[in-house]
Amino acid sequence: MSEPASFLERLVGVPSESGREDAAADLVEAELRALGLAPKRVGRSVHATLGSGGGLLLLNSHLDTVPAGEGWTRNPLGERTGGRLYGRGANDAKGCVAAMLAGAVRAYARTAPGGRVCLAFGCEEETSNRGITELMAELPAPDAAVVGEPTGLAPAVAQKGLLLLEVTAKGRSAHAAWGGGVNAVHAAAKDILALAAVSFDREHPVLGKPSLQVTQVQGGERHNVIPDRCRLVVDIRTTPDYAPEEIVALVERAVGGEVSIRSRRLQSVDTPVGHPIVRAAVAAGGGEPFGSPTASDWAFLKGIPAVKAGPGDSRRSHTPDEYLELSELEGGVAFYERLIRAYHEGTP
Ligand SMILES: [Zn+2]
């Protein structure tokens, strides 16, 4: 098997923006095959299972990246220097893919743990979550899962969801000079202040309270026309303590405008800290369980107990000169290997 670092270097060298993961999926498939596994493709996603009998642990991460974008001083398709690998996806999340692959192979290379591991690497995590949805429809139901995202190996035991709302204030047009009419922008201004004052009282042990931000305002066509419509976009990061309907009702009570749901696809998820998958991640040396504000494919695991953990730092994701320390990669390989053993062999 190729060293994790050189495999990661090759994987980063293959561009794989969301929707164009074919070549990256080919590379992962070939690597798994070369290791004696029997990988299968589901569209632009790849999966393979190790071991036999016992429980089934899913190790999932994603093959796609956001576009490289501007501002790079290093090669976005990979530059290895000073103990780091720079490149788009090195940190988010190809480092996790490489570490999960190598960690699982090492875990089964000596005495096989008494259970199975399914490696499943999806497409379109950054956009539509198509890969994980297609994988979950195809794979046997796992007992627990690890979602590979850069967390510095610390296990996230809960993840916020995203509820996107639109509030539309309506008025009546008139000539600005003559007055009259009803100014929808003025009405929306009151709604913005009301939204800023919305508070949540239920506090999740690791996620805290939901957060609410008005992130877009759109109203008015011309300087001399009293606008009859103003639209606000409200970005709400949810916790499992609130059903989306409850939050919608709260917003409806606060504003005068009309509330509509733009997206509620990304629900908040959490796993009890006493669950074996959390205990295994802690025993593997991941560190303290925490609550993560960022979304991932975890939201699409259909309630399977999971942690989100992997090498790297989420603050480096989607930035120019994204990198992964090669020592972080090695740490990730050892972490996943220990986690697989701890999960299947049980932790005290
Ligand atoms: Zn990611």
Side-chain angles (χ1 to χ4, degrees):
M1 129 179 230
S2 46
E3 280 305 297
S6 57
F7 176 66
L8 177 59
E9 200 171 1
R10 282 191 289 139
L11 191 55
V12 169
V14 176
S16 61
E17 279 179 33
S18 307
R20 298 178 183 175
E21 301 91 344
D22 288 284
D26 287 346
L27 184 70
V28 170
E29 190 182 352
E31 179 75 1
L32 290 165
R33 210 175 292 285
L35 291 163
L37 300 173
K40 291 206 177 76
R41 281 285 277 273
V42 188
R44 283 168 275 112
S45 305
V46 187
H47 64 92
T49 301
L50 295 90
S52 58
L56 178 62
L57 175 63
L58 173 70
L59 297 192
N60 162 251
S61 189
H62 61 95
L63 299 173
D64 64 317
T65 70
V66 295
E70 302 295 313
W72 286 74
T73 67
R74 309 281 180 175
N75 183 354
L77 290 177
E79 192 175 324
R80 200 162 152 175
T81 177
R84 290 177 175 178
L85 177 68
Y86 289 89
R88 176 55 82 226
N91 177 73
D92 179 21
K94 291 179 175 178
C96 295
V97 171
M100 283 181 154
L101 199 158
V105 168
R106 283 189 199 171
Y108 286 85
R110 296 189 280 267
T111 36
R116 288 162 295 151
V117 160
C118 177
L119 293 168
F121 304 125
C123 64
E124 295 188 30
E125 188 267 354
E126 303 284 3
T127 52
S128 68
N129 310 91
R130 174 179 176 169
I132 190 63
T133 308
E134 291 177 345
L135 285 163
M136 290 303 286
E138 166 125 348
L139 294 172
D143 300 294
V146 182
V147 177
E149 288 287 340
T151 65
L153 303 184
V157 294
Q159 177 177 284
K160 279 186 168 171
L162 170 63
L163 176 62
L164 262 188
L165 302 182
E166 281 185 12
V167 176
T168 308
K170 288 176 182 162
R172 201 173 60 248
S173 282
H175 194 298
W178 288 105
V182 179
N183 191 321
V185 166
H186 290 190
K190 286 184 193 141
D191 283 352
I192 294 172
L193 293 177
L195 286 164
V198 166
S199 67
F200 299 91
D201 36 304
R202 284 171 235 160
E203 191 159 355
H204 187 274
V206 292
L207 291 175
K209 296 175 178 181
S211 69
L212 181 155
Q213 300 286 342
V214 177
T215 49
Q216 287 177 288
V217 181
Q218 210 173 59
E221 303 279 340
R222 304 162 72 91
H223 82 84
N224 54 3
V225 177
I226 291 173
D228 65 348
R229 198 165 278 262
C230 184
R231 191 179 58 98
L232 310 175
V233 174
V234 189
D235 176 300
I236 303 161
R237 302 295 160 153
T238 61
T239 67
D241 298 331
Y242 288 85
E245 297 75 26
E246 284 183 279
I247 297 180
V248 173
L250 223 112
V251 168
E252 275 171 338
R253 277 199 298 278
V255 299
E258 199 174 291
V259 180
S260 63
I261 298 172
R262 190 198 272 191
S263 171
R264 48 172 294 177
R265 221 164 51 82
L266 287 165
Q267 302 238 7
S268 181
V269 283
D270 65 353
T271 303
V273 286
H275 191 278
I277 189 61
V278 180
R279 297 217 310 274
V282 172
E288 282 300 303
F290 76 105
S292 166
T294 55
S296 76
D297 273 345
W298 183 0
F300 299 90
L301 291 180
K302 299 180 175 173
I304 291 155
V307 294
K308 179 168 75 177
D313 183 339
S314 105
R315 278 163 298 194
R316 284 180 222 147
S317 303
H318 307 189
T319 63
D321 293 342
E322 172 182 350
Y323 67 90
L324 187 70
E325 304 273 359
L326 296 176
S327 60
E328 291 174 322
L329 177 66
E330 271 309 325
V333 176
F335 168 72
Y336 290 127
E337 181 185 357
R338 287 193 299 264
L339 187 154
I340 291 164
R341 292 195 170 282
Y343 178 74
H344 282 312
E345 285 156 19
T347 47

